Coordinates of all heavy atoms in Angstrom, one line a residue:
G1 N 5.6 35.7 32.3 CA 4.3 35.1 32.1 C 3.4 35.8 31.1 O 2.3 35.4 30.8
S2 N 3.9 36.9 30.6 CA 3.1 37.7 29.6 C 3.8 37.7 28.3 O 5.0 37.6 28.2 CB 2.9 39.1 30.2 OG 2.2 39.1 31.4
T3 N 3.0 37.9 27.2 CA 3.5 37.9 25.9 C 3.5 39.3 25.3 O 2.5 40.0 25.4 CB 2.7 37.0 24.9 OG1 2.7 35.6 25.4 CG2 3.3 37.0 23.5
F4 N 4.7 39.7 24.8 CA 4.8 41.1 24.3 C 5.3 41.0 22.8 O 5.9 40.0 22.4 CB 5.9 41.9 25.1 CG 5.5 42.1 26.5 CD1 5.9 41.2 27.5 CD2 4.6 43.1 26.9 CE1 5.5 41.3 28.8 CE2 4.3 43.3 28.2 CZ 4.7 42.4 29.2
D5 N 5.2 42.1 22.1 CA 5.7 42.2 20.8 C 5.3 41.1 19.8 O 6.1 40.7 19.0 CB 7.3 42.3 20.9 CG 7.9 43.0 19.7 OD1 7.2 43.8 19.1 OD2 9.1 42.8 19.4
Q6 N 4.1 40.7 19.9 CA 3.6 39.7 19.0 C 2.9 40.3 17.8 O 2.4 41.4 17.9 CB 2.6 38.8 19.7 CG 2.2 37.6 18.9 CD 1.2 36.7 19.6 OE1 0.6 37.1 20.6 NE2 1.1 35.4 19.2
G7 N 3.0 39.7 16.6 CA 2.3 40.2 15.4 C 3.2 41.0 14.5 O 4.4 41.3 14.8
A8 N 2.7 41.3 13.3 CA 3.4 42.1 12.3 C 2.4 42.8 11.5 O 1.3 42.3 11.2 CB 4.2 41.1 11.4
T9 N 2.7 44.0 11.1 CA 1.8 44.8 10.2 C 1.8 44.2 8.9 O 2.7 43.4 8.5 CB 2.3 46.3 10.1 OG1 3.6 46.3 9.5 CG2 2.5 46.9 11.5
P10 N 0.8 44.5 8.0 CA 0.8 43.9 6.7 C 2.0 44.3 5.9 O 2.5 43.5 5.1 CB -0.5 44.5 6.1 CG -1.4 44.8 7.2 CD -0.4 45.2 8.4
E11 N 2.5 45.5 6.1 CA 3.7 45.9 5.4 C 5.0 45.1 5.8 O 5.8 44.7 5.0 CB 4.0 47.4 5.6 CG 3.0 48.4 5.1 CD 1.7 48.4 5.9 OE1 1.7 48.0 7.1 OE2 0.7 49.0 5.5
A12 N 5.1 44.8 7.1 CA 6.2 44.0 7.6 C 6.1 42.6 7.1 O 7.1 42.0 6.7 CB 6.2 44.1 9.1
A13 N 4.9 42.1 7.1 CA 4.7 40.7 6.6 C 5.0 40.6 5.1 O 5.6 39.6 4.7 CB 3.2 40.3 6.9
E14 N 4.7 41.6 4.3 CA 5.0 41.6 2.9 C 6.5 41.7 2.7 O 7.1 41.0 1.8 CB 4.3 42.8 2.2 CG 4.6 42.8 0.7 CD 4.1 41.6 0.0 OE1 3.1 41.0 0.4 OE2 4.7 41.3 -1.1
A15 N 7.2 42.4 3.5 CA 8.7 42.5 3.5 C 9.3 41.2 3.8 O 10.3 40.8 3.2 CB 9.2 43.6 4.4
M16 N 8.8 40.5 4.8 CA 9.3 39.2 5.2 C 9.1 38.2 4.0 O 9.9 37.4 3.7 CB 8.5 38.6 6.4 CG 8.8 39.4 7.7 SD 7.9 38.7 9.1 CE 7.9 40.1 10.2
R17 N 7.9 38.3 3.4 CA 7.7 37.4 2.2 C 8.6 37.6 1.1 O 9.1 36.7 0.4 CB 6.2 37.5 1.8 CG 5.8 36.4 0.8 CD 4.3 36.4 0.5 NE 3.6 35.9 1.6 CZ 3.4 34.6 1.9 NH1 4.0 33.7 1.1 NH2 2.7 34.2 2.9
R18 N 8.9 38.9 0.8 CA 9.9 39.2 -0.3 C 11.3 38.6 0.0 O 11.9 38.1 -0.8 CB 10.0 40.7 -0.5 CG 8.8 41.3 -1.2 CD 9.1 42.7 -1.7 NE 9.5 43.6 -0.7 CZ 8.7 44.4 0.0 NH1 7.4 44.4 -0.3 NH2 9.1 45.2 0.9
E19 N 11.7 38.8 1.3 CA 13.0 38.3 1.7 C 12.9 36.7 1.6 O 13.9 36.1 1.2 CB 13.3 38.7 3.2 CG 14.5 38.2 3.8 CD 15.8 38.8 3.2 OE1 15.7 39.6 2.2 OE2 16.9 38.6 3.8
L20 N 11.8 36.1 2.0 CA 11.7 34.7 1.9 C 11.8 34.2 0.5 O 12.5 33.2 0.2 CB 10.4 34.2 2.5 CG 10.0 32.7 2.4 CD1 11.0 31.9 3.1 CD2 8.6 32.5 2.9
D21 N 11.2 34.9 -0.4 CA 11.2 34.5 -1.9 C 12.7 34.6 -2.4 O 13.1 33.7 -3.2 CB 10.3 35.4 -2.7 CG 8.8 35.1 -2.4 OD1 8.5 34.0 -1.9 OD2 8.0 36.0 -2.7
E22 N 13.4 35.6 -2.0 CA 14.8 35.8 -2.4 C 15.6 34.6 -1.9 O 16.4 34.0 -2.6 CB 15.4 37.1 -1.9 CG 14.9 38.3 -2.7 CD 15.7 39.5 -2.3 OE1 16.7 39.4 -1.7 OE2 15.3 40.6 -2.7
L23 N 15.5 34.3 -0.6 CA 16.3 33.3 0.1 C 16.0 31.9 -0.4 O 16.8 31.0 -0.5 CB 16.2 33.4 1.6 CG 16.7 34.7 2.2 CD1 16.3 34.7 3.7 CD2 18.2 34.7 2.1
S24 N 14.7 31.7 -0.7 CA 14.3 30.3 -1.2 C 14.9 30.0 -2.5 O 15.1 28.8 -2.8 CB 12.8 30.3 -1.3 OG 12.2 30.4 0.0
G25 N 15.3 31.0 -3.3 CA 16.0 30.7 -4.5 C 17.5 30.4 -4.3 O 18.2 30.0 -5.3
R26 N 18.0 30.5 -3.1 CA 19.4 30.3 -2.8 C 19.7 29.2 -1.8 O 20.8 28.8 -1.6 CB 20.0 31.6 -2.3 CG 19.9 32.7 -3.3 CD 20.5 34.0 -2.7 NE 20.2 35.2 -3.6 CZ 21.0 35.5 -4.6 NH1 22.1 34.8 -4.8 NH2 20.8 36.6 -5.4
S27 N 18.6 28.7 -1.1 CA 18.8 27.7 -0.1 C 17.5 26.9 0.1 O 16.4 27.4 -0.1 CB 19.2 28.4 1.2 OG 19.2 27.5 2.3
D28 N 17.7 25.7 0.6 CA 16.6 24.8 1.0 C 16.6 24.6 2.5 O 16.1 23.5 2.9 CB 16.6 23.5 0.2 CG 15.3 22.7 0.2 OD1 14.3 23.4 0.2 OD2 15.4 21.5 0.3
D29 N 17.0 25.6 3.2 CA 17.1 25.4 4.7 C 15.7 25.2 5.3 O 14.7 25.8 4.9 CB 17.7 26.7 5.2 CG 18.1 26.6 6.7 OD1 17.2 26.5 7.5 OD2 19.3 26.6 7.0
P30 N 15.6 24.2 6.2 CA 14.3 23.9 6.8 C 13.7 25.1 7.5 O 12.4 25.2 7.6 CB 14.7 22.9 7.9 CG 15.9 22.2 7.4 CD 16.7 23.3 6.7
R31 N 14.5 26.1 8.0 CA 13.9 27.3 8.6 C 13.1 28.1 7.6 O 12.1 28.8 8.0 CB 15.0 28.1 9.2 CG 15.6 27.5 10.5 CD 16.9 28.2 10.9 NE 17.9 28.1 9.9 CZ 19.1 28.7 10.0 NH1 19.4 29.5 11.0 NH2 20.0 28.5 9.0
L32 N 13.5 28.1 6.3 CA 12.7 28.8 5.3 C 11.3 28.1 5.1 O 10.4 28.8 4.9 CB 13.5 28.8 4.0 CG 14.8 29.6 4.1 CD1 15.5 29.5 2.7 CD2 14.6 31.1 4.5
H33 N 11.3 26.8 5.2 CA 10.0 26.1 5.1 C 9.1 26.5 6.3 O 7.9 26.7 6.1 CB 10.2 24.6 5.0 CG 11.0 24.2 3.8 ND1 10.5 24.3 2.5 CD2 12.2 23.6 3.7 CE1 11.4 23.8 1.7 NE2 12.4 23.4 2.4
Q34 N 9.7 26.6 7.5 CA 8.9 27.0 8.6 C 8.4 28.5 8.5 O 7.2 28.7 8.8 CB 9.8 26.9 9.9 CG 10.2 25.5 10.2 CD 11.3 25.5 11.4 OE1 11.5 26.5 12.0 NE2 11.9 24.4 11.6
C35 N 9.2 29.3 7.9 CA 8.8 30.7 7.7 C 7.7 30.8 6.7 O 6.7 31.5 6.8 CB 10.0 31.6 7.2 SG 11.2 31.9 8.4
R36 N 7.8 30.0 5.6 CA 6.7 30.0 4.6 C 5.4 29.5 5.1 O 4.3 30.0 4.8 CB 7.2 29.2 3.4 CG 6.2 29.3 2.2 CD 6.7 28.7 0.9 NE 7.9 29.3 0.4 CZ 7.9 30.5 -0.2 NH1 6.8 31.1 -0.5 NH2 9.1 31.0 -0.6
A37 N 5.5 28.4 5.9 CA 4.3 27.9 6.5 C 3.6 28.9 7.4 O 2.4 29.1 7.4 CB 4.6 26.6 7.3
A38 N 4.4 29.6 8.2 CA 3.8 30.7 9.1 C 3.2 31.8 8.3 O 2.1 32.3 8.6 CB 4.9 31.2 10.0
L39 N 3.9 32.3 7.3 CA 3.4 33.4 6.4 C 2.2 33.0 5.7 O 1.2 33.8 5.5 CB 4.5 33.9 5.5 CG 5.6 34.7 6.2 CD1 6.8 34.8 5.2 CD2 5.1 36.0 6.6
D40 N 2.2 31.7 5.2 CA 1.0 31.3 4.4 C -0.2 31.2 5.3 O -1.4 31.4 4.9 CB 1.3 29.9 3.8 CG 2.2 30.0 2.6 OD1 2.4 31.2 2.1 OD2 2.7 29.0 2.1
A41 N 0.0 30.7 6.6 CA -1.1 30.6 7.6 C -1.6 32.0 8.0 O -2.7 32.2 8.4 CB -0.6 29.8 8.8
G42 N -0.7 33.0 7.9 CA -1.1 34.4 8.3 C -0.5 34.8 9.6 O -0.7 34.0 10.6
L43 N 0.2 35.9 9.7 CA 0.7 36.4 10.9 C -0.3 37.3 11.6 O -1.1 38.0 11.0 CB 2.0 37.2 10.7 CG 3.1 36.5 10.0 CD1 4.3 37.5 9.8 CD2 3.6 35.3 10.7
P44 N -0.4 37.2 13.0 CA -1.3 38.1 13.7 C -0.9 39.5 13.6 O 0.3 39.8 13.3 CB -1.2 37.6 15.1 CG 0.2 36.9 15.2 CD 0.4 36.4 13.9
L45 N -1.8 40.4 13.8 CA -1.5 41.9 13.8 C -1.0 42.3 15.2 O -1.4 41.7 16.2 CB -2.7 42.7 13.4 CG -3.2 42.5 12.0 CD1 -4.6 43.2 11.9 CD2 -2.3 43.2 11.0
P46 N -0.2 43.3 15.3 CA 0.2 43.9 16.6 C -1.1 44.4 17.3 O -2.0 44.8 16.6 CB 1.1 45.1 16.2 CG 1.6 44.8 14.8 CD 0.5 44.1 14.1
D47 N -1.1 44.3 18.6 CA -2.3 44.6 19.3 C -2.8 46.1 19.0 O -4.0 46.3 18.9 CB -2.0 44.5 20.9 CG -1.9 43.1 21.3 OD1 -2.5 42.2 20.6 OD2 -1.3 42.8 22.3
G48 N -1.9 47.0 18.9 CA -2.2 48.4 18.7 C -2.8 48.6 17.3 O -3.3 49.7 17.0

């Protein structure tokens, strides 16, 4: 009933975006569109 390990640091979010940019040039997988929407909306920060 509790949520753990939520969020990403700005550095981690930037690394995810770089990986997304690479993969988007090689595939049109719907999961990549979901990732882009989440990254564009902004990821929360880790609580700490």
Side-chain angles (χ1 to χ4, degrees):
S2 299
T3 301
F4 300 92
D5 204 21
Q6 188 177 21
T9 65
E11 295 78 14
E14 181 60 29
M16 292 180 202
R17 189 170 289 279
R18 287 196 301 268
E19 178 74 351
L20 174 63
D21 289 341
E22 286 189 11
L23 293 172
S24 295
R26 301 176 185 275
S27 172
D28 195 37
D29 192 289
R31 290 169 294 178
L32 296 179
H33 297 294
Q34 295 171 11
C35 290
R36 187 171 298 282
L39 287 166
D40 287 346
L43 301 179
L45 292 169
D47 287 338

